[in-house]
């Protein structure tokens, strides 16, 4: 053994390397400059010999075996560290050539690390995780992971026989980040992190920032290059940046990729690239503006539908690669379809390969189970007050928007984040610093995320699934709101579905459930939803919820969808419900597309196409969703008849629509409806049309209003109201004719014209008097015929009474 080399060895450090307990391996591995030359140290367990091969030098430098476990070192001449590789010979005779990982500098800066520790490094996903790159002409993969309390972290995989001794990562300053560049690795490499916790427990973890993962039940992360895709949706992205969704039609088709359609071969799932045209064709055929995908982030259990995420930065491999999903997103945009992604920042599963107890401590979750776990869901709750945890989540939302061009993020279970006692009994939760049940750290997290998300002003939206009365969900952060763009209207959904499930005989006693939503309709910017949650776990499908026999069920559902479409707010409907699928949704089965072979289901689909077309073509149904001037009740008190009538208005008067909804099975003939002005009212949509499966109770001719008092309005029309249906009328205002001019004004005009003659001739004066007298007669007669509204109303009542008496 070389005496100089022996003296240069730090034997305590060598022992730490051999026993895999060193978090600064760069001190004892790799090249180091000394007064006597360059030392190169390496650890190759089970290696027989090792040699250093210096670029441009023919001579090989044999390395001394300093420790029999496989620790090698050599001292080579020179003052500058050369480019080199190491040839390793193993006991079985295998020879491998390695570039030294510890000869490459860290690829994360101190500034970036400090921003991450402060919770404000919004593109941290570009540094943490696994990133293929070329450093000084050498291809490889840069790994970085946050595990501040770990004793040692190594990257392991097929490339090093999953041996955690071979590639220990270096701790980067005080940041808690471990990082290492591994030369020679390529995309497709499978890896995990081996973590040795304080106390000696050693285990494997998937990469929290991994961009790809193995197909379940396997759990390893996969190296991939996200730059390996060419986008062609520039025009869509530019248009999105310039427009707002608030005054545009937005009808979202919510779907689960794994059960939209099932392959006819032996496969379980279609690929993202196969699904793209299938979904786009159907969405365009129906007229939906957006799709919303149940979580596509990697998850281990199919039955969770994606709501128990283990790979937040990786699209699930069930349907293909990250590049396949990029193709899916790009294709949707090329077809003019927006894509909203479900996202789950509320909780995460306890799977041991995931985030739970990541570095041997409760890193992502709270230590106290009263704060860190959901007793009913069996999942763990994020510690939003820890900057690195909030940075992980905020950067993740930005990641899907910036890297995958998502048009929106819908946050799941927001209510569970806002309330510390959500789903918990007394003694199962800890109050905040003021003694309340509000999760102040989660509130700050929302404000932080939403303010940063909107900073780019790129038109992407944020939607909250929030089921309580927490105020200002969609108010701006500057106005002390949470900053979301939209909130799911869970109150409307629960009230309305409860009403619709009643037999029509009993609905009159629950009329308030039908109208209550308009009391708070403008407190938030709402989306009306019939989501996946309403058609699972024994709740029945939408058609299954409707009362009555089969024909009545379809009529009820048409009326329900019609009311949803004309009620203020954007819209969302889960897949399969637009064709009236009777079975509940199951992730194991595809939509029952064969139902379209039957007339009633095909007619329902035809109805939905026509209804969505009406919605998209009529500005009154979307332009003023969040402006009270866009809605006016005509009659919301007609409980006994189960009737509603109201106006929807757009920016222009000619956009006005009159809407009548009947939730009873009765036909109302010659039914008077008050209208806001004198005009013509043309029925443009009727759910009872025969093409939709109805009986044809329609109003084929335009209705002209009459001066008959009804619904507290001077004008009204008589219409045929279809049973269990909705009628939509286009309104055209007609100006009333001006009254004849009074004779006094004419006389004055005559006098004025005669003014130049101070003393008019007697003959002319007499002629003027005769003309005025003749004109006065018809004016008096007109005055005698004219009636006040009150008199008209009284007359109408007398006439009605007379008609009733005659019938009796």
């Amino acid at each position: 053994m070389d005496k100089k080399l022996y003296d240069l060895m730090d034997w305590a450090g060598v022992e730490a390397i051999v026993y895999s307990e060193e978090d600064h391996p760069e001190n004892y591995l790799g090249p180091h400059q000394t007064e006597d030359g360059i030392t190169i140290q390496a650890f190759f367990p089970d290696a027989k010999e090792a040699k250093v091969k210096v670029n441009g030098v023919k001579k090989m430098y044999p390395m001394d075996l300093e420790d029999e476990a496989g620790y090698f070192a050599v001292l080579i001449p020179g003052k500058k560290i050369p480019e080199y590789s190491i040839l390793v010979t193993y006991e079985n005779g295998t020879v491998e050539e390695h570039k030294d990982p510890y000869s490459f500098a860290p690829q994360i800066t101190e500034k970036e690390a400090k921003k991450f520790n402060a919770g404000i490094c919004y593109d941290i996903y570009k540094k943490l995780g696994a990133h293929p790159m070329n450093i000084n002409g050498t291809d490889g993969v840069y790994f970085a992971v946050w595990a501040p309390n770990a004793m040692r972290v190594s990257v392991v995989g097929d490339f090093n026989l999953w041996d955690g001794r071979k590639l220990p990562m270096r701790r980067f300053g005080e940041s808690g980040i471990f990082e290492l560049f591994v030369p020679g690795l390529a995309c497709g490499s499978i890896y995990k992190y081996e973590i040795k916790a304080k106390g000696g427990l050693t285990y494997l973890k998937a990469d929290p920032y991994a961009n790809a993962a193995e197909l379940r039940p396997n759990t390893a992360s996969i190296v991939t290059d996200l730059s390996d895709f060419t986008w062609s949706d520039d025009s869509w992205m530019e248009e999105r940046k310039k427009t707002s969704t608030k005054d545009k039609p937005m009808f979202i088709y919510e779907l689960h990729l794994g059960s939209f359609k099932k392959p006819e071969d032996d496969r379980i799932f279609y690929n993202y690239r196969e699904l793209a045209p299938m979904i786009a064709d159907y969405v365009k055929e129906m007229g939906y503006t957006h799709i919303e995908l149940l979580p596509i982030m990697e998850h281990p259990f199919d039955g969770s539908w994606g709501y128990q995420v283990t790979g937040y930065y990786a699209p699930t491999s069930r349907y293909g690669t990250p590049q396949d999903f990029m193709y899916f997103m790009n294709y949707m945009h090329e077809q003019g379809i927006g894509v909203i992604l479900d996202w789950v920042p509320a909780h995460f599963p306890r799977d041991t390969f995931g985030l739970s107890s990541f570095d041997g401590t409760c890193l992502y979750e709270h230590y106290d189970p009263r704060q860190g776990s959901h007793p009913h869901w069996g999942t763990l709750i994020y510690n939003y007050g820890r900057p690195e945890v909030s940075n992980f989540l905020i950067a993740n939302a930005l990641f899907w928007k910036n890297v995958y061009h998502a048009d929106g993020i819908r946050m799941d279970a927001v209510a569970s984040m806002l309330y510390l006692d959500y789903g918990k009994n007394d003694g199962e939760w800890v109050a905040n610093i003021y003694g309340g049940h509000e999760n102040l750290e989660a509130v700050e997290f929302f404000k932080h995320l939403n303010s940063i998300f909107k900073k780019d002003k790129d038109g992407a939206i944020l939607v909250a699934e929030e089921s309580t009365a927490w105020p200002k969900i969609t108010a701006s952060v500057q106005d002390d709101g949470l900053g979301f763009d939209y909130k799911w209207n869970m109150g409307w959904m629960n009230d309305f579905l409860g009403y619709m499930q009643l037999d029509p005989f009993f609905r009159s006693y629950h009329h308030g459930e039908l109208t209550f939503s308009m009391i708070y309709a403008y407190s938030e910017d709402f989306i009306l939803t019939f989501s996946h949650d309403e058609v699972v776990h024994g709740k029945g499908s939408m058609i299954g919820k409707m009362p009555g026999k089969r024909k009545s069920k379809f009529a009820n559902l048409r009326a329900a969808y019609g009311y949803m479409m004309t009620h203020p707010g954007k819209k969302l409907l889960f897949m399969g419900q637009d064709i009236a699928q009777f079975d509940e949704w199951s992730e194991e089965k595809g939509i029952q597309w064969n139902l379209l072979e039957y007339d009633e289901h095909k007619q329902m689909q035809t109805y939905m196409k026509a209804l969505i077309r009406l919605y998209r073509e009529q500005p009154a149904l979307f332009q003023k969703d969040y402006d009270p001037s866009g809605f006016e009740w005509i009659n919301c008190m007609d409980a006994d008849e189960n009737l509603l009538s109201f106006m929807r208005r757009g920016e222009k008067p000619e956009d006005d629509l009159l809407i009548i909804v009947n939730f009873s099975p009765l036909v109302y003939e010659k039914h008077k409806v008050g209208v806001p002005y004198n005009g013509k009212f043309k029925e443009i949509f009727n759910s009872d049309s025969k093409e939709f499966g109805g009986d044809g109770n329609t109003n084929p001719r335009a209705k002209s209003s009459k001066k008959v008092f009804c619904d507290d309005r001077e004008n009204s029309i008589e219409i045929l109201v279809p049973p269990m249906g909705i009628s939509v009328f286009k309104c055209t205002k007609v100006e009333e004719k001006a009254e004849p001019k009074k004779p006094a004004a004419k006389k004055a005009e005559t006098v004025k014209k005669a003014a130049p003659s101070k003393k008019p001739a007697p003959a002319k004066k007499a002629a003027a008097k005769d003309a005025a007298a003749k004109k006065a007669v018809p004016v008096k007669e007109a005055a005698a015929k004219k009636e006040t509204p009150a008199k008209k109303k009284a007359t109408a009542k007398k006439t009605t009474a007379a008609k009733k008496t005659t019938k009796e």
Side-chain angles (χ1 to χ4, degrees):
M1 182 180 292
D2 188 283
K3 178 69 167 59
K4 286 184 180 180
L5 184 59
Y6 181 87
D7 292 339
L8 291 171
M9 292 293 99
D10 183 330
W11 294 105
V14 171
E15 185 175 357
I17 293 293
V18 170
Y19 285 96
S20 300
E21 295 179 348
E22 182 54 55
D23 59 352
H24 284 285
E26 73 279 7
N27 292 337
Y28 315 107
L29 297 173
H32 295 87
Q33 293 173 313
T34 70
E35 293 181 358
D36 299 311
I38 306 298
T39 61
I40 297 176
Q41 303 163 81
F43 184 46
F44 296 107
D46 305 320
K48 183 170 65 175
E49 63 178 39
K51 298 177 183 177
V52 172
K53 178 183 176 182
V54 178
N55 290 5
V57 178
K58 292 183 179 180
K59 182 181 178 182
M60 304 278 281
Y61 297 93
M63 302 182 76
D64 291 342
L65 180 62
E66 303 290 351
D67 188 288
E68 60 185 8
Y71 190 92
F72 294 87
V74 66
L75 179 64
I76 63 176
K79 294 189 177 295
K80 184 180 178 182
I81 297 174
E83 290 187 19
Y84 66 93
S85 58
I86 302 174
L87 270 68
V88 184
T89 304
Y90 291 94
E91 294 290 346
N92 61 3
T94 303
V95 178
E96 295 178 351
E97 184 173 354
H98 298 276
K99 287 273 188 136
D100 192 344
Y102 304 97
S103 65
F104 295 89
Q107 299 303 301
I108 187 171
T109 66
E110 188 175 339
K111 181 180 179 181
E112 289 168 333
K114 285 183 176 179
K115 288 176 69 177
F116 172 66
N117 292 139
I120 56 173
C121 189
Y122 305 119
D123 59 353
I124 190 63
Y125 53 82
K126 294 181 179 178
K127 297 297 180 178
L128 299 189
H131 301 282
M133 60 178 64
N134 182 287
I135 302 177
N136 299 328
T138 300
D139 291 325
V141 178
Y142 182 69
F143 296 94
V145 63
W146 179 59
N149 301 300
M151 179 186 295
R152 183 262 304 166
V153 179
S154 298
V155 59
V156 296
D158 292 339
F159 45 84
N160 62 5
L161 303 178
W162 299 88
D163 190 339
R165 298 173 297 169
K166 292 185 176 182
L167 289 173
M169 302 170 75
R170 66 184 150 222
R171 185 186 292 272
F172 187 77
E174 301 299 319
S175 66
I177 294 172
F178 286 81
E179 53 80 39
L180 188 68
F181 176 73
V182 181
L185 290 190
C187 291
S189 299
I190 297 172
Y191 73 98
K192 279 189 176 182
Y193 295 117
E194 182 182 277
I195 296 177
K196 192 168 190 176
K198 293 173 182 176
L201 180 65
T202 305
Y203 48 88
L204 296 176
K205 288 285 189 182
D207 188 350
Y209 288 85
N211 294 138
E214 287 187 296
L215 176 63
R216 53 62 174 148
N218 296 327
T219 58
S221 303
I222 301 175
V223 176
T224 189
D225 185 359
L226 296 184
S227 65
D228 188 21
F229 182 80
T230 303
W231 292 87
S232 57
D233 63 347
D234 293 349
S235 59
W236 169 271
M237 299 297 283
E238 281 300 315
E239 185 63 24
R240 190 186 78 183
K241 188 183 297 185
K242 294 185 290 186
T243 57
S244 168
T245 54
K246 292 295 175 76
D247 60 352
K248 300 291 187 298
M250 185 164 77
F251 196 163
I252 304 164
Y253 184 67
E254 187 190 31
L255 65 99
H256 176 255
L257 285 179
S259 56
F260 177 75
K261 279 186 181 177
K262 289 290 186 180
E264 296 179 0
D265 51 27
D266 294 334
R267 293 179 299 162
I268 301 176
F269 306 113
Y270 280 114
N271 183 276
Y272 289 116
R273 294 176 186 262
E274 295 174 294
L275 286 166
M278 294 181 193
I279 294 171
D281 289 348
Y282 185 74
V283 167
K284 288 170 66 179
E285 177 190 353
M286 296 299 295
Y288 297 103
T289 62
H290 293 69
I291 60 172
E292 181 176 314
L293 304 181
L294 269 61
I296 50 83
M297 299 80 189
E298 193 57 81
H299 51 282
F301 178 46
D302 291 0
S304 75
W305 313 328
Y307 288 99
Q308 295 196 8
V309 181
T310 51
Y312 275 80
Y313 287 83
T316 178
S317 55
R318 287 168 175 80
Y319 318 119
T321 67
Q323 290 73 23
D324 292 335
F325 185 58
M326 288 179 177
Y327 175 90
F328 178 93
M329 298 292 287
N330 190 70
Y331 189 89
M332 290 298 154
H333 290 168
E334 287 183 331
Q335 299 301 309
I337 301 167
V339 185
I340 299 169
L341 303 180
D342 266 14
W343 185 55
V344 192
H347 59 116
F348 59 94
R350 296 175 182 267
D351 298 68
T352 54
F353 70 89
L355 298 176
S356 64
S357 301
F358 189 79
D359 63 356
T361 68
C362 295
L363 186 64
Y364 286 88
E365 68 272 33
H366 287 276
Y367 174 75
D368 189 334
R370 296 175 299 169
Q371 296 173 293
S373 68
H374 273 297
H376 299 306
W377 296 347
T379 52
L380 300 172
I381 302 172
Y382 284 104
N383 183 349
Y384 305 106
R386 185 166 286 158
E388 296 90 347
V389 174
S390 68
N391 201 152
F392 169 78
L393 292 170
I394 292 171
N396 187 237
L398 296 171
F399 169 82
W400 292 106
K401 175 173 73 81
N402 296 335
V403 177
Y404 283 93
H405 296 195
D407 300 296
I409 299 291
R410 176 265 192 187
M411 292 193 208
D412 180 64
V414 168
S416 74
M417 300 170 67
L418 289 172
Y419 295 96
L420 296 166
D421 59 347
Y422 184 90
K424 298 181 180 181
N425 301 315
D426 291 343
E428 293 179 345
W429 60 283
V430 178
N432 62 35
I433 58 174
Y434 302 111
H437 64 167
E438 300 84 4
N439 190 335
L440 304 179
E441 293 171 345
V443 171
E444 178 56 33
F445 165 75
F446 285 132
K447 291 182 176 181
H448 188 175
L449 166 58
N450 291 344
S451 61
I452 295 301
F453 195 90
K454 294 179 180 178
K455 197 173 182 180
D456 294 334
K457 297 181 179 179
D458 55 10
I461 61 173
L462 288 160
V463 183
E465 184 215 16
E466 206 283 323
S467 54
T468 74
W470 187 286
K472 294 188 172 183
I473 297 290
T474 56
S476 68
V477 175
Q478 292 75 15
D479 190 28
D480 199 30
L482 295 188
F484 286 93
D485 293 288
Y486 296 101
K487 171 182 172 175
W488 275 22
N489 197 335
M490 311 291 280
W492 173 85
M493 178 272 298
N494 284 309
D495 287 346
F496 185 50
L497 286 182
Y499 177 88
M500 290 304 300
Q501 290 178 78
L502 294 169
D503 186 287
F505 181 82
F506 300 104
R507 284 177 178 170
S508 61
Y509 302 103
H510 297 264
H511 198 68
E513 295 173 21
L514 197 59
T515 60
F516 179 64
S517 60
M518 286 310 302
I519 293 176
Y520 61 85
Y522 302 104
S523 62
E524 302 281 3
D525 291 353
F526 286 115
I527 295 177
L528 309 181
T529 64
F530 291 137
S531 73
H532 66 280
D533 282 326
E534 314 320 317
V535 294
V536 291
H537 301 324
K539 295 178 184 177
S541 65
M542 287 298 295
I543 187 72
K545 297 178 196 294
M546 301 297 113
K549 295 183 179 180
R550 197 173 184 93
K551 185 176 178 63
S552 179
K553 284 178 177 292
F554 279 88
N556 267 282
L557 190 59
R558 290 195 301 270
Y561 288 157
Y563 183 52
M564 174 196 191
M565 199 69 77
T566 54
H567 188 290
K570 306 308 178 188
K571 330 292 177 188
L572 177 144
L573 184 65
F574 187 59
M575 66 180 191
Q577 307 315 302
D578 52 3
I579 63 171
Q581 177 174 309
F582 271 94
D583 287 356
E584 280 191 345
W585 169 62
S586 169
E587 79 281 353
E588 296 177 351
K589 299 180 292 184
I591 296 174
Q592 296 174 313
W593 297 108
N594 62 304
L595 292 175
L596 293 175
E597 297 172 9
Y598 301 92
D599 289 344
E600 54 194 0
H601 294 279
K602 186 64 179 177
Q603 288 165 345
M604 176 57 74
Q605 187 189 48
T606 301
Y607 172 73
M608 287 303 296
K609 287 181 188 177
L611 187 61
I612 297 172
R613 185 166 60 251
L614 173 78
Y615 170 66
R616 296 187 66 164
E617 291 176 353
Q618 299 300 323
L621 296 178
F622 57 79
Q623 278 186 345
K624 292 189 174 183
D625 273 330
Y626 309 112
D627 182 347
S629 68
F631 181 92
E632 178 190 351
W633 282 120
I634 297 296
N635 191 336
C636 62
M637 305 296 289
D638 211 347
D640 291 340
E641 281 75 31
N642 298 345
L643 285 175
L644 290 177
S645 54
F646 53 92
M647 297 288 297
R648 289 299 307 274
R649 294 191 168 93
E651 297 292 343
K652 301 174 182 177
E654 56 266 30
D655 295 333
D656 286 4
L657 297 178
L658 170 66
I659 295 147
I660 296 91
V661 193
N662 180 11
F663 291 107
S664 84
L666 302 177
V667 178
Y668 295 107
E669 297 182 358
K670 296 184 178 180
H671 181 79
K672 283 190 177 65
V673 179
V675 292
Y677 44 71
N678 180 54
K680 290 187 177 182
F681 298 82
K682 173 67 175 174
E683 186 177 75
I684 59 173
F685 189 84
N686 190 313
S687 65
D688 200 46
S689 296
K690 289 185 178 180
E691 64 174 317
F692 305 144
D695 294 326
N697 293 289
T698 62
N699 297 273
R701 294 185 179 181
K703 304 292 181 180
S704 295
S705 64
K706 297 179 181 179
K707 284 285 185 179
V708 177
F709 194 85
C710 182
D711 295 327
D712 288 330
R713 288 162 177 81
E714 292 186 359
N715 296 281
S716 64
I717 58 174
E718 275 191 358
I719 63 169
L720 174 66
V721 179
M724 211 70 73
I726 180 170
S727 297
V728 180
F729 291 83
K730 190 75 172 177
C731 311
T732 304
K733 190 173 183 179
V734 176
E735 296 295 336
E736 296 186 31
K737 293 181 180 179
E739 294 182 10
K741 294 183 179 180
K742 294 181 180 179
K746 290 286 184 180
K747 185 176 181 181
E749 186 180 346
T750 305
V751 172
K752 189 173 182 182
K753 285 180 179 178
S757 175
K758 291 182 180 180
K759 292 182 180 180
K764 287 184 179 179
K765 191 173 181 180
K769 271 188 177 182
D770 290 342
K774 285 179 182 178
K775 287 182 180 178
V777 175
V779 172
K780 285 180 181 179
E781 289 175 359
K785 290 179 182 179
K786 188 176 180 182
E787 291 181 335
T788 63
K791 284 182 179 179
K792 278 192 173 184
K793 187 175 180 182
T795 305
K797 284 183 177 178
K798 287 177 183 178
T799 305
T800 305
K803 285 182 179 179
K804 285 184 178 177
T805 305
T806 304
K807 286 180 180 179
E808 290 171 1

